[in-house]
Amino acid sequence: IRMAEANTTGRGPKLSVASDEFMLKTPRRSLTPRSPKQAEYIENLRTSELTFGLGPAGTGKTFLAVAVAIEALMDGSVQRIILSRPAVEAGERLGFLPGDMRDKIDPYLRPLYDALNYMMPGDQVIRLQESGEIEIAPVAFMRGRTLTNAWIIVDEAQNTTTVQMKMLLTRLGEGSRMAINGDLSQIDLPRGTRSGLANAADVLRHEKGIKFTRFGEKDIVRHDLVARIVHAYDSFDKAHNIRNRDGAEEGPPNQEV
């Protein structure tokens, strides 16, 4: 229905949910975009060396990026997939987590495992991780590396600092592609800290070879209620003049915070 409405109004390309042009084939299932914006995002991921996906939860930013990366790994376009995200707590203080280093960081990286296991058999995911063809690591582990012939996906990038974002972007090596995804309305950085994603969107918006896909509430494909929740929060923020896209809370005009 979403595709049909976009075709009728001319707001998007002539697409259908069964469009072969944008179909993503992974070992477990074939996937197609559910909105014109998702189709645009798939096209950007396939054709650009660096793609930013910006927008609310449930729009398929990470899910589709993982699917494109798996497709590229399976057809030999890249030699490995590297999935990364900041180990930032969502407004909670969890204290010291038990276990070794992997045990400590796994909870932060669980959404990436979920996407992989949805598209590939679990034993294949484990085998590819053991061989190094799939690597999942927090952003802090990326410093000093040059990532060649790889598909790199940075999830929850709104929680990177400006220094971390610059470090990540300069990891890109020959034969590699990178997707940077995040939601600027859900920043968990300490108050007053500039989001690396917001900063990069400003600094790089006119650079050639870099594509930006900006999703909206109409692109949410998770659950109908999620779209209504996002709309309600956006409406509340606008009504109360809360417009700081870096995620810091703002009070009424002329009030010190």
Side-chain angles (χ1 to χ4, degrees):
I1 293 173
R2 188 181 292 109
M3 290 292 201
E5 287 177 344
N7 291 342
T8 301
T9 59
R11 289 197 302 267
K14 296 291 183 181
L15 299 172
S16 75
V17 292
S19 173
D20 290 337
E21 181 182 357
F22 298 101
M23 182 174 289
L24 298 168
K25 296 181 180 179
T26 66
R28 263 195 168 168
R29 63 198 77 217
S30 295
L31 310 167
T32 54
R34 295 187 181 183
S35 75
K37 189 63 70 172
Q38 284 194 348
E40 174 192 320
Y41 183 54
I42 291 171
E43 180 69 14
N44 288 343
L45 290 168
R46 284 174 166 173
T47 60
S48 177
E49 292 178 336
L50 177 58
T51 301
F52 285 83
L54 308 174
T59 51
K61 302 182 297 295
T62 300
F63 185 79
L64 292 175
V66 170
V68 171
I70 289 174
E71 187 179 59
L73 181 66
M74 294 297 101
D75 67 21
S77 300
V78 296
Q79 295 176 356
R80 54 185 172 153
I81 297 172
I82 299 173
L83 307 172
S84 183
R85 62 182 285 170
V88 175
E89 298 163 358
E92 298 179 81
R93 294 292 176 265
L94 301 180
F96 292 100
L97 296 173
D100 59 18
M101 180 60 72
R102 180 162 183 169
D103 292 330
K104 293 176 187 296
I105 65 175
D106 267 3
Y108 298 102
L109 306 175
R110 180 50 51 188
L112 298 173
Y113 286 111
D114 291 344
L116 284 172
N117 288 317
Y118 183 82
M119 300 175 204
M120 305 178 76
D123 58 341
Q124 187 176 13
V125 174
I126 294 172
R127 188 169 65 253
L128 291 173
Q129 283 188 263
E130 290 175 347
S131 68
E133 292 172 85
I134 292 180
E135 179 183 346
I136 303 179
V139 164
F141 289 14
M142 294 294 106
R143 184 173 294 279
R145 304 180 63 183
T146 299
L147 306 175
T148 59
N149 299 313
W151 234 115
I152 306 129
I153 299 171
V154 182
D155 192 28
E156 300 291 342
Q158 76 275 6
N159 288 327
T160 61
T161 64
T162 55
V163 173
Q164 286 176 324
M165 178 57 71
K166 183 178 179 182
M167 178 271 290
L168 285 167
L169 293 172
T170 53
R171 299 309 92 201
L172 199 62
E174 292 184 7
S176 291
R177 293 182 180 274
M178 182 180 288
I180 308 283
N181 302 320
D183 178 2
L184 291 174
S185 71
Q186 296 191 34
I187 297 175
D188 302 309
L189 292 170
R191 187 172 180 177
T193 302
R194 172 78 158 153
S195 166
L197 180 60
N199 185 66
D202 288 338
V203 172
L204 302 175
R205 65 182 185 275
H206 298 308
E207 292 296 323
K208 292 183 179 179
I210 300 175
K211 297 290 182 66
F212 287 82
T213 305
R214 299 180 185 273
F215 295 92
E217 6 175 298
K218 291 183 179 179
D219 301 301
I220 294 173
V221 296
R222 187 169 287 167
H223 187 293
D224 288 345
L225 188 56
V226 175
R228 300 203 300 274
I229 289 170
V230 170
H231 177 74
Y233 270 91
D234 287 346
S235 298
F236 181 88
D237 289 349
K238 289 176 182 177
H240 292 79
N241 198 31
I242 302 174
R243 297 176 181 172
N244 189 341
R245 67 177 175 173
D246 285 357
E249 294 178 0
E250 289 188 352
N254 303 320
Q255 177 180 335
E256 279 193 6
V257 179

